[in-house]
Amino acid sequence: MTGALIQIEGLSYSYGSSDRPEAVALRDISLDIHPGEYLSILGHNGSGKSTLARHMNALLRPTAGRVLVAGWDTRDPSRTVDIRRTVGMVFQIPDDQIVGTIVEEDVAFGPENLGLAQSEVHRRVDRALDMVGLREWRDVPTHLLSPGHKQLLAIAGMLALGPACLVLDEATALLDAEGRATVLSVLDELRRQGLAIMAITHVLDEAARTDRVIVLDEGRMVLDEPPRQAFSNRERLRRLRLDIPQVTDLAQRLHHRIPCIRPDCLEVAALSDEILEAMGKS
Amino acid sequence: MTDPIIEISGLTHTYLQGTPRAVTALSDVDFSLSLSEAVGLVGPSGAGKSTLAQFCNGLLRPAARQVVQVAGIDTAQSSALVQTIHQRIGLVFQNPSDQLFEQYVGDDVAYGPRQLGLTREQVSERVRWALSMVGLDFDSFVNRFTFSLSGGEMRRVALAGVLALRPDVLILDETTAGLDPQGRAELLDLLSRWHKDAGLTLLLITTRLSDLPDLVDRVVVLKCGRVALEGSTVDVLGQSSSLAGLGLAAPPMAQLSHHLSRGGLDLPSVPLTVSQAEDAICKALRP
Amino acid sequence: MQSLETLRHASICQYVPGDTVIHRMDVRVKLLCLLSLITAATICGSYVSHVALLSLCLLATASMRVPLRRVLASIKPALPIIAFMSTLQLLFHGDPTPTDTILYQSGIVSITASSIRSVVVSLSRLLELLSLVTLLTSAATMAQLSHGIAWFLRPLDAIGLPGDEMSLVFTIALRFLPILALQLETLAKAQISRGGNLSTRGRWKFVGTTRRALALVVPLFLDAFRRSERLAVAMEARCCTGGSRARRSTEHSAWRIGDLALTVGVALLSLALIVGDQIILH
């Protein structure tokens, strides 16, 4: 319990309106996220992934249960700014989170909202641009960036607030392979610097790189395991309207026929090595 | 091989030509599509895929004559003739919300047939047929508000709207982007059935190469407005290093095959699906 | 559909990099001069003042190397309406004053010297306005423009109005104009792809065209609302609560003598034109 960055206790959330019956989005979720963790949240469309994410930075507040970020309760309005400085969020559609007309201006938006002195704002902007590799792009108009770079810009904008955790809500869904690779390599660098990262994603290969896979189904948390275990049972995931990475699927099938091949490979290179080793033996 | 329904040769297109902001979207592109084919058009974002697609259905017209022929019509000609192309070549855009503009589902799907000047009975028949093709029940959906539909339902209605024209060719511009695994599988399955059972010609534009195996026969790769690679699906998707150099990721099975051959195990052909890989590897290890 | 593409690309982002006199002017000077000249153009009603104004505008346009046809191209879509309105103005100017020369009269229709003048002056005003705005957008980037407007709105903070928020709104609106133009283009293309004919062929097709154009407006509005909602969430996630923003006070250097002289000079010129105009007319 202690040392957890984010503590979610019995979180339930429903959004009802006067002319609609209560629609329950989240049911009794309890979860701890620790500093430096790298986890992914999977779930079919409508399972509540994005809703859960928005509770982490007080964009939404629980209907029941509570969410503590660095010890602060998200329902406490006086702590909202502190919470949002601690947990940053990057969204799916690159254009719809960029405010500034040039890169530098957009990254400065966050620190300016905190009312910091100009010199401090500049310092943070510089540092954030360095962390994502956009230093030379500081004067570039934002509409000229590729989608991948726009997402880097969004990340920089959050980093300028100095968060301990970054939540990515399907942030790579609309990117091509190159854009995705760029974003992932920046995330790896951020992890090295101790940032906790939570990736909400449909891309199974991305989930496979994380340390912890959490699966939501109809608003409930149904799985919380490392990827090797989470992906070990294809049927279970298919019932949850998900799937496993193709590499893992192949590894499992090969394992049935050639037992010396491990069934829990998550990456192409790992499985390739297993197969070559098996070839060497035969 | 029948005459291609779409024939493009040496197409070059520059936006805002003559202004300081001119951007060359396509350079000297050759492309053809024959009926009953299924072709994948891939490339990184900004490669010119959507631009090419819009030449294929007459939305964009070339400056020079004889460069783009669609359904026998030289699209550099007057726009009156070009309008008939829309009935034969359907184009589905990425976002369903960009394509729905009527209040009711039935009206939206009926838009295309009505523009064709069909009778009320014919229009109704088309709407019924189109909705059934996308797996939506006519009676429960025809009077629903388009803007109250779920994402998946909107996507199906948008597809139905284009299908209702009964086109010979269906062009899908990044229609799988942002879909969850189930949605993606369902869409690809639908497309596969339309192609294989109903003989619908497909042009699938995507940045995700793993959409293509089992669906398309041929792949064309665009990069910076030029054709960088083309060939059969197996040939193109098997070239992991070339694809990587173009900023694309080959499907996982193709990447695996590439790793294996670097380690000394050559498979007879590049597997594109998990089943193909399973069979090929087992054979290789236990001959 | 090349016209659609042109609409999107040639809308607000018309900035043409260069090093002309006008480029080098401080953006506030540009805005103030624009304001003075537009005021003069609006108030003046005599041939002489408009000859002077028009020559000034055309001279400035030429010196900026902005092709005149770009200015004229922006009028093209509105030509039928302009022709219609001008005809109305010509024929139904109202009862002629005693000093007026009547060239033709039949019932309520009359063509007088003053009606001719009002038509000519209106057309001249239109040209002046267009060339001035084209000049401004060619010589100032979006970023500069939004900074300039922010500077003008700043005094509002002192009287309790949300000047800072308004300039933020303006910046964002500017930024999203090309995005919405692209969205409109996509919507139009989707309609055309399903057989909708949006081209204006034939004089009386505008009824059908208007109906089809209206069909685009609803989805465009919905798209704009969805985007603004997403953007608002993203801004909230970056601690934007309204009110406590730090000022970007370092963007503008102090006024140079040249800038001051130019602003005052243009203001005086406009004043002279207005005064002269009043004298000529009465």
Side-chain angles (χ1 to χ4, degrees):
Chain A
M1 281 302 146
T2 53
L5 181 58
I6 302 176
Q7 289 162 254
I8 301 174
E9 297 165 6
L11 167 64
S12 291
Y13 182 73
S14 50
Y15 46 96
S17 52
S18 52
D19 56 342
R20 257 178 63 178
E22 295 282 301
V24 181
L26 297 174
R27 297 168 208 268
D28 198 30
I29 295 187
S30 295
L31 176 59
D32 277 353
I33 293 157
H34 302 277
E37 268 198 299
Y38 185 20
L39 54 98
S40 52
I41 304 186
L42 303 178
H44 60 80
N45 275 349
S47 55
K49 311 187 291 296
S50 291
T51 313
L52 176 60
R54 280 159 175 68
H55 282 277
M56 311 267 188
N57 67 346
L59 283 173
L60 292 175
R61 290 172 175 101
T63 322
R66 68 176 186 167
V67 176
L68 299 176
V69 174
W72 298 309
D73 192 319
T74 58
R75 282 171 304 194
D76 182 352
S78 67
R79 287 298 180 192
T80 302
V81 172
D82 293 314
I83 289 172
R84 290 182 187 163
R85 289 175 76 162
T86 313
V87 178
M89 190 172 295
V90 178
F91 302 86
Q92 185 187 46
I93 302 181
D95 270 317
D96 297 347
Q97 52 192 334
I98 295 174
V99 169
T101 39
I102 44 179
V103 165
E104 186 189 28
E105 205 179 273
D106 187 69
V107 180
F109 183 69
E112 280 175 356
N113 287 335
L114 297 177
L116 300 172
Q118 278 295 316
S119 54
E120 176 64 15
V121 170
H122 280 308
R123 196 186 67 80
R124 285 177 177 237
V125 167
D126 285 345
R127 199 162 153 262
L129 288 176
D130 277 334
M131 281 162 90
V132 303
L134 287 181
R135 234 310 167 81
E136 298 88 50
W137 299 65
R138 63 187 312 141
D139 292 317
V140 174
T142 49
H143 70 277
L144 294 178
L145 296 174
S146 70
H149 281 126
K150 279 181 182 158
Q151 292 300 63
L152 289 186
L153 174 60
I155 293 173
M158 285 298 158
L159 290 176
L161 291 166
C165 173
L166 197 62
V167 178
L168 295 118
D169 191 353
E170 303 210 41
T172 60
L174 299 178
L175 302 181
D176 62 1
E178 210 172 316
R180 189 173 298 138
T182 316
V183 170
L184 289 176
S185 76
V186 163
L187 291 181
D188 287 340
E189 178 55 39
L190 293 176
R191 285 187 57 217
R192 270 192 285 274
Q193 299 189 19
L195 222 62
I197 300 196
M198 196 181 318
I200 297 169
T201 183
H202 283 308
V203 183
L204 301 164
D205 296 326
E206 276 181 39
R209 316 159 91 239
T210 60
D211 304 322
R212 194 174 160 195
V213 172
I214 292 171
V215 179
L216 295 187
D217 178 45
E218 307 286 335
R220 262 181 248 278
M221 193 169 83
V222 295
L223 214 77
D224 181 0
E225 290 169 5
R228 279 182 207 281
Q229 280 158 256
F231 293 137
S232 62
N233 187 335
R234 191 179 191 209
E235 269 321 300
R236 178 175 60 166
L237 285 172
R238 295 205 95 176
R239 263 179 275 132
L240 296 168
R241 298 192 250 163
L242 295 170
D243 206 342
I244 59 176
Q246 285 191 5
V247 170
T248 314
D249 186 16
L250 180 60
Q252 288 170 7
R253 295 195 200 196
L254 288 176
H255 176 74
H256 272 128
R257 293 163 73 164
I258 306 169
C260 64
I261 294 180
R262 291 181 58 163
D264 62 355
C265 295
L266 298 171
E267 289 166 9
V268 170
L271 181 57
S272 167
D273 290 340
E274 287 285 311
I275 295 170
L276 290 170
E277 219 184 284
M279 182 177 84
K281 286 189 191 135
S282 65
Chain B
M1 191 69 133
T2 49
D3 271 337
I5 187 166
I6 296 173
E7 177 106 67
I8 295 176
S9 49
L11 175 63
T12 299
H13 182 67
T14 307
Y15 288 117
L16 299 180
Q17 184 134 48
T19 71
R21 311 180 69 88
V23 165
T24 301
L26 294 174
S27 290
D28 199 28
V29 170
D30 294 333
F31 178 76
S32 71
L33 184 69
S34 303
L35 286 175
S36 300
E37 265 201 293
V39 175
L41 180 60
V42 302
S45 57
K49 309 185 291 293
S50 296
T51 310
L52 184 58
Q54 287 171 22
F55 274 101
C56 288
N57 88 328
L59 271 178
L60 290 174
R61 287 153 55 204
R65 293 176 64 89
Q66 299 304 319
V67 159
V68 177
Q69 303 256 35
V70 179
I73 297 170
D74 177 351
T75 62
Q77 287 178 359
S78 82
S79 52
L81 273 177
V82 169
Q83 258 147 46
T84 61
I85 290 176
H86 295 314
Q87 189 269 316
R88 297 196 65 188
I89 319 269
L91 177 55
V92 184
F93 291 78
Q94 179 179 338
N95 275 322
S97 47
D98 291 345
Q99 300 166 94
L100 301 176
F101 38 82
E102 293 282 354
Q103 210 179 8
Y104 295 103
V105 168
D107 284 332
D108 197 273
V109 180
Y111 180 80
R114 283 193 189 131
Q115 299 302 119
L116 291 176
L118 301 178
T119 67
R120 275 186 61 176
E121 290 75 37
Q122 286 172 318
V123 168
S124 180
E125 177 53 42
R126 291 274 182 112
V127 172
R128 209 174 265 277
W129 173 80
L131 285 174
S132 72
M133 285 288 274
V134 299
L136 291 178
D137 176 50
F138 177 83
D139 294 306
S140 38
F141 277 93
V142 72
N143 286 317
R144 292 272 303 271
F145 283 122
T146 42
F147 301 114
S148 75
L149 298 172
S150 75
E153 288 164 348
M154 279 175 105
R155 186 163 290 107
R156 287 171 192 254
V157 172
L159 263 176
V162 177
L163 274 187
L165 291 162
R166 291 218 160 222
D168 298 312
V169 177
L170 198 60
I171 306 178
L172 297 114
D173 194 348
E174 305 232 34
T175 326
T176 59
L179 287 184
D180 65 348
Q182 189 190 27
R184 217 177 123 230
E186 281 172 0
L187 178 61
L188 294 175
D189 183 56
L190 262 183
L191 294 175
S192 178
R193 278 194 282 125
W194 292 344
H195 173 59
K196 297 194 167 107
D197 301 340
L200 189 61
T201 312
L202 289 179
L203 176 58
L204 190 65
I205 299 174
T206 179
T207 53
R208 281 164 73 161
L209 274 58
S210 32
D211 288 345
L212 302 177
D214 260 0
L215 185 57
V216 303
D217 319 305
R218 192 162 57 94
V219 175
V220 175
V221 180
L222 282 188
K223 169 99 177 173
C224 299
R226 285 177 194 277
V227 175
L229 272 183
E230 80 180 290
S232 72
T233 311
V234 170
D235 283 340
V236 173
L237 297 187
Q239 297 180 43
S240 289
S241 3
S242 311
L243 290 172
L246 294 168
L248 295 168
M253 295 298 106
Q255 288 181 28
L256 179 67
S257 153
H258 181 70
H259 273 259
L260 289 175
S261 70
R262 281 219 308 245
L265 174 56
D266 284 309
L267 298 173
S269 71
V270 177
L272 296 176
T273 65
V274 175
S275 317
Q276 288 171 3
E278 185 189 355
D279 291 335
I281 292 169
C282 285
K283 274 206 189 78
L285 290 182
R286 288 198 299 218
Chain C
M1 291 310 114
Q2 266 78 345
S3 53
L4 278 176
E5 309 274 342
T6 327
L7 171 70
R8 185 223 321 174
H9 286 282
S11 56
I12 287 298
C13 320
Q14 283 175 349
Y15 177 63
V16 176
D19 196 30
T20 63
V21 171
I22 303 185
H23 273 99
R24 278 181 261 133
M25 289 196 310
D26 187 305
V27 69
R28 295 167 292 177
V29 175
K30 289 194 262 244
L31 284 169
L32 283 170
C33 293
L34 180 78
L35 208 61
S36 313
L37 291 171
I38 288 182
T39 314
T42 316
I43 298 178
C44 292
S46 66
Y47 287 119
V48 173
S49 33
H50 277 282
V51 163
L53 274 169
L54 202 56
S55 329
L56 179 66
C57 293
L58 294 178
L59 207 73
T61 314
S63 82
M64 279 277 295
R65 285 178 283 265
V66 171
L68 193 60
R69 46 186 171 80
R70 189 130 72 88
V71 178
L72 294 173
S74 39
I75 316 182
K76 228 176 76 166
L79 270 177
I81 300 178
I82 295 175
F84 182 61
M85 300 288 286
S86 301
T87 317
L88 284 181
Q89 231 181 342
L90 185 66
L91 301 176
F92 301 106
H93 188 74
D95 291 327
T97 63
T99 53
D100 221 349
T101 333
I102 302 172
L103 299 159
Y104 172 82
Q105 186 156 32
S106 157
I108 48 166
V109 176
S110 64
I111 303 179
T112 64
S114 48
S115 68
I116 294 179
R117 189 180 65 221
S118 75
V119 169
V120 171
V121 162
S122 297
L123 291 173
S124 171
R125 244 178 229 148
L126 190 61
L127 270 179
E128 287 151 20
L129 205 73
L130 282 173
S131 52
L132 284 172
V133 171
T134 310
L135 274 177
L136 180 69
T137 52
S138 307
T141 63
M142 276 196 305
Q144 288 171 340
L145 280 176
S146 52
H147 289 153
I149 306 245
W151 183 83
F152 279 110
L153 293 175
R154 207 159 280 152
L156 290 179
D157 279 326
I159 55 171
L161 287 176
D164 209 42
E165 275 81 349
M166 279 165 65
S167 60
L168 184 62
V169 165
F170 186 79
T171 310
I172 293 174
L174 260 191
R175 207 188 87 62
F176 272 84
L177 271 172
I179 295 175
L180 290 178
L182 173 60
Q183 184 64 23
L184 184 62
E185 186 189 310
T186 309
L187 289 168
K189 282 182 173 173
Q191 263 203 21
I192 294 165
S193 299
R194 282 161 67 187
N197 176 11
L198 293 182
S199 63
T200 34
R201 279 173 312 134
R203 228 172 278 270
W204 306 111
K205 271 210 164 188
F206 69 87
V207 171
T209 314
T210 319
R211 195 158 38 89
R212 285 179 200 115
L214 280 176
L216 293 175
V217 164
V218 170
L220 185 65
F221 259 79
L222 282 173
D223 181 71
F225 281 134
R226 272 185 232 118
R227 280 185 198 272
S228 62
E229 205 171 16
R230 286 191 286 255
L231 186 63
V233 169
M235 287 166 71
E236 262 191 280
R238 282 205 267 172
C239 305
C240 179
T241 48
S244 59
R245 266 174 61 87
R247 301 275 181 77
R248 290 187 71 89
S249 53
T250 56
E251 297 318 310
H252 295 292
S253 38
W255 287 78
R256 296 177 302 207
I257 288 293
D259 291 337
L260 205 58
L262 194 57
T263 315
V264 171
V266 170
L268 286 176
L269 173 67
S270 310
L271 199 61
L273 282 168
I274 294 173
V275 168
D277 181 75
Q278 293 301 307
I279 295 174
I280 294 173
L281 286 179
H282 300 292

